[in-house]
Amino acid sequence: MSFQLEVPHNIVFISCAILGWLIVLILVSRQYLKQQEKPTYWKVILVVLVGMGSVTTNLNLLQFSMKVSILPLGVWLLVGMLSKKSWQTYRPYAWIGFWANFIFLGTTLMTGYIDNSVYPKEDASTYIADLKHASIVAIHPSAHPATLNNERLQTHLSDLQSADVLGMEWNRNSALESEYYYQKERFPYALLGTLPRWGSNLNSSIYIQDDGRGLLITTSNQSYYYRSKEPLIDMGVRNDDE
Amino acid sequence: MMMNKKMVLIPILLVMIAVIVYLFYDGKPKPFLEDTQAIKVMNQLYTEGNISEIVDVIPLDSKHVFVPIISGDDHYGMSFWEWDRFQWRLGRIDTKGAPYIWKIDEKDASTHYIVWNMDPEDELSELKYYLIGERDFHSSEDVESYRPRVQMELTTTLQKQKYGVLPFPKDWVELMNGNLRLSRANQLTSLFLMNSPSSSLYIGWIPFGHHGKVTFPENTVNGSSFDSGRINVDFVRILNESELELSK
């Protein structure tokens, strides 16, 4: 049973995985204490792990596609392998193994939900949390001289307005001779040296617009675009008549 | 009995220590080979090269040395050497000196160097290197992405010497390393998502001759090479000026 969507490999993901195993451990311990005839400890662990084996089916729920266990293959295997007497002793652990699939499904669902609330993906400050060592660099010959004022950028980050990413249009603007942006770049500055929010493990490239008031954040599969009323960088004197 | 045990144990221990020392011995690099010695090694490994002269010995760091050479047919070539624990080993020979990028550690662009050795007959005056990233967008129902064009320039003069080694500027390194991190993250997600945008930066070059005119370096390109497979190099493509934006 697993997810076919992007699961963040960060602190939230690890915490939720640990939580899942902790729940399984508690269930096993409770069962163990309850039983009068104590089974062998290492055999219990083995039975739980084998019990996890299952046949899965794909289920589409909301926008996620996930694999859900339906047939307890591992449990059946154990029924076949164990003698009648030991089956009586180990049966509860085999089933805990099977149900653990659903515990992990739950914690994985939780991962996505918590991750999004701890590290909102739409929020620029998730990607730009630390500006201490930030700098800007012109990445295109059409860039005018500009300088970064770290503190000012920090203050303006909270007042950004989200806007639409118009990738196709921007690309066309730079490709057509009749357009103002022909052979120019709409985002000619890169913002380097910033850190994403702690523990998020979010990689992105960050660009600033030629007018100094737009911010583009591009992750491995998605861009986010923001506009600011105030300039985010100090633009040099511009000749608008060129 | 006790004696016997010791007699067996001590040699085994010694052999184990020797093996461990051998495996982890990192060898402080010795000074680079004498010219005649280096030429001998090269001609042994690559007879066709017919190398006759060492032009210079340029260390990149304590363990990597770039050696521009002249081959028997008066071609200007390059050789790449690496310190391998006990000796200097030949990594690669190119009989001509069109630029390559030598990646010491592939994952870290601060250890990547552009190396070249232009044939004087091509009469080049300067080289321009470019960091290029294509403008790129992806648009679908729930994913919208845009990647700006990167076009940065680095000029190196050939007035004093026709060969050289150049590490990438700090800005380039940061952009390239950021890009490498992103494409590694991409590899993880592309297991799940089919249409993730490809993101790649590459290096190109344009050679200039007299009066800053673009000149095709006929004598510097189309060489042959010997590669030991132990080093990591990348070919650098000649760009056409029309591929650049805002070129005057």
Side-chain angles (χ1 to χ4, degrees):
Chain A
M1 188 144 50
S2 69
F3 270 102
Q4 296 199 313
L5 78 160
E6 187 188 341
V7 179
H9 287 257
N10 59 21
I11 208 101
V12 173
F13 170 76
I14 295 166
S15 313
C16 284
I18 290 173
L19 180 71
W21 282 103
L22 221 64
I23 293 171
V24 174
L25 188 73
I26 289 169
L27 289 177
V28 170
S29 309
R30 275 184 48 185
Q31 178 62 35
Y32 189 80
L33 292 173
K34 224 166 59 185
Q35 267 175 319
Q36 257 123 40
E37 210 174 312
K38 299 290 180 212
T40 325
Y41 218 86
W42 66 268
K43 280 185 186 161
V44 168
I45 293 168
L46 210 67
V47 166
V48 171
L49 290 177
V50 174
M52 282 182 183
S54 62
V55 173
T56 61
T57 180
N58 282 318
L59 189 76
N60 286 312
L61 188 78
L62 302 169
Q63 73 267 45
F64 306 136
S65 153
M66 54 190 126
K67 284 183 174 160
V68 178
S69 305
I70 43 167
L71 300 180
L73 207 64
V75 176
W76 291 345
L77 196 76
L78 287 164
V79 174
M81 270 168 37
L82 296 173
S83 68
K84 211 166 195 178
K85 193 167 165 276
S86 28
W87 172 239
Q88 285 306 321
T89 318
Y90 290 101
R91 190 187 54 192
Y93 303 106
W95 282 109
I96 288 172
F98 179 69
W99 293 117
N101 285 309
F102 291 90
I103 293 168
F104 290 128
L105 178 67
T107 56
T108 315
L109 269 170
M110 233 167 69
T111 305
Y113 181 77
I114 297 178
D115 185 67
N116 234 332
S117 50
V118 178
Y119 308 114
K121 299 297 174 292
E122 313 283 319
D123 210 340
S125 60
T126 305
Y127 303 93
I128 312 172
D130 185 342
L131 279 162
K132 247 178 267 146
H133 304 289
S135 61
I136 54 166
V137 52
I139 55 168
H140 194 275
S142 64
H144 294 269
T147 52
L148 175 70
N149 180 328
N150 299 30
E151 277 159 41
R152 229 185 48 208
L153 178 56
Q154 185 88 64
T155 54
H156 291 320
L157 272 183
S158 46
D159 315 323
L160 293 175
Q161 290 294 313
S162 181
D164 285 340
V165 176
L166 303 169
M168 198 195 300
E169 193 180 316
W170 297 338
N171 186 63
R172 195 179 54 232
N173 292 158
S174 292
L176 292 183
E177 218 160 323
S178 55
E179 298 279 348
Y180 166 77
Y181 277 108
Y182 176 62
Q183 296 225 327
K184 293 180 187 168
E185 180 48 61
R186 189 178 294 261
F187 298 93
Y189 310 100
L191 180 64
L192 299 173
T194 62
L195 293 174
R197 191 165 298 163
W198 186 85
S200 66
N201 195 23
L202 278 171
N203 283 311
S204 64
S205 302
I206 303 155
Y207 307 98
I208 295 172
Q209 196 165 350
D210 60 342
D211 66 357
R213 291 160 198 256
L215 186 75
L216 181 80
I217 296 174
T218 298
T219 68
S220 57
N221 51 34
Q222 173 94 44
S223 290
Y224 303 93
Y225 179 41
Y226 310 89
R227 292 289 300 168
S228 164
K229 287 196 188 72
E230 302 295 322
L232 300 168
I233 51 178
D234 296 325
M235 309 293 294
V237 187
R238 270 183 82 166
N239 295 319
D240 276 327
D241 54 355
E242 60 178 305
Chain B
M1 207 49 203
M2 275 303 273
M3 257 330 256
N4 264 342
K5 241 184 193 168
K6 265 188 191 161
M7 294 282 273
V8 177
L9 269 178
I10 287 171
I12 288 178
L13 219 66
L14 282 175
V15 169
M16 270 169 67
I17 288 169
V19 167
I20 287 167
V21 167
Y22 178 82
L23 286 177
F24 289 91
Y25 178 71
D26 208 18
K28 214 174 161 198
K30 289 194 196 115
F32 190 68
L33 310 179
E34 295 286 319
D35 284 10
T36 48
Q37 243 179 319
I39 289 170
K40 210 175 116 195
V41 172
M42 283 191 276
N43 284 330
Q44 259 166 13
L45 280 165
Y46 190 55
T47 326
E48 298 92 317
N50 198 13
I51 285 103
S52 62
E53 200 183 315
I54 301 277
V55 178
D56 200 351
V57 175
I58 308 171
L60 309 191
D61 56 31
S62 65
K63 289 185 178 172
H64 299 86
V65 171
F66 172 67
V67 180
I69 50 177
I70 298 176
S71 67
D73 327 318
D74 244 9
H75 287 314
Y76 285 72
M78 316 186 280
S79 64
F80 304 71
W81 298 76
E82 192 177 36
W83 177 256
D84 182 29
R85 299 205 291 173
F86 306 107
Q87 57 183 312
W88 285 102
R89 279 191 193 272
L90 180 60
R92 185 186 166 92
I93 298 175
D94 283 283
T95 57
K96 293 193 180 178
Y100 269 89
I101 296 164
W102 189 356
K103 301 175 173 181
I104 310 282
D105 174 5
E106 183 150 37
K107 292 194 280 299
D108 179 6
S110 70
T111 67
H112 298 183
Y113 298 84
I114 315 175
V115 297
W116 67 91
N117 185 15
M118 299 292 135
D119 194 317
E121 273 181 46
D122 284 330
E123 299 191 329
L124 300 177
S125 62
E126 67 176 23
L127 307 178
K128 282 188 176 162
Y129 291 107
Y130 293 89
L131 176 66
I132 305 283
E134 303 295 351
R135 189 174 285 115
D136 184 30
F137 72 95
H138 280 255
S139 180
S140 70
E141 212 176 307
D142 43 36
V143 175
E144 191 81 42
S145 79
Y146 176 75
R147 192 167 289 280
R149 179 178 171 85
V150 175
Q151 181 183 317
M152 294 167 86
E153 191 182 277
L154 181 63
T155 306
T156 179
T157 175
L158 299 174
Q159 301 299 355
K160 268 202 229 129
Q161 55 191 37
K162 302 287 180 194
Y163 58 88
V165 168
L166 198 60
F168 292 132
K170 210 172 136 267
D171 295 343
W172 291 30
V173 169
E174 280 200 51
L175 283 168
M176 292 164 97
N177 281 348
N179 205 61
L180 284 170
R181 275 197 298 276
L182 213 53
S183 58
R184 270 202 296 279
N186 213 356
Q187 274 168 6
L188 273 176
T189 57
S190 62
L191 293 171
F192 305 103
L193 294 162
M194 288 311 285
N195 60 340
S196 13
S198 62
S199 59
S200 62
L201 292 171
Y202 64 87
I203 306 289
W205 67 298
I206 299 182
F208 292 86
H210 292 301
H211 311 296
K213 246 187 79 185
V214 175
T215 309
F216 186 74
E218 266 174 72
N219 301 294
T220 303
V221 297
N222 292 331
S224 55
S225 58
F226 159 83
D227 198 315
S228 69
R230 73 173 74 242
I231 66 165
N232 199 342
V233 295
D234 241 10
F235 179 71
V236 186
R237 186 167 70 87
I238 295 191
L239 299 176
N240 200 319
E241 267 191 308
S242 64
E243 290 174 71
L244 298 176
E245 293 192 346
L246 275 185
S247 55
K248 273 128 210 162

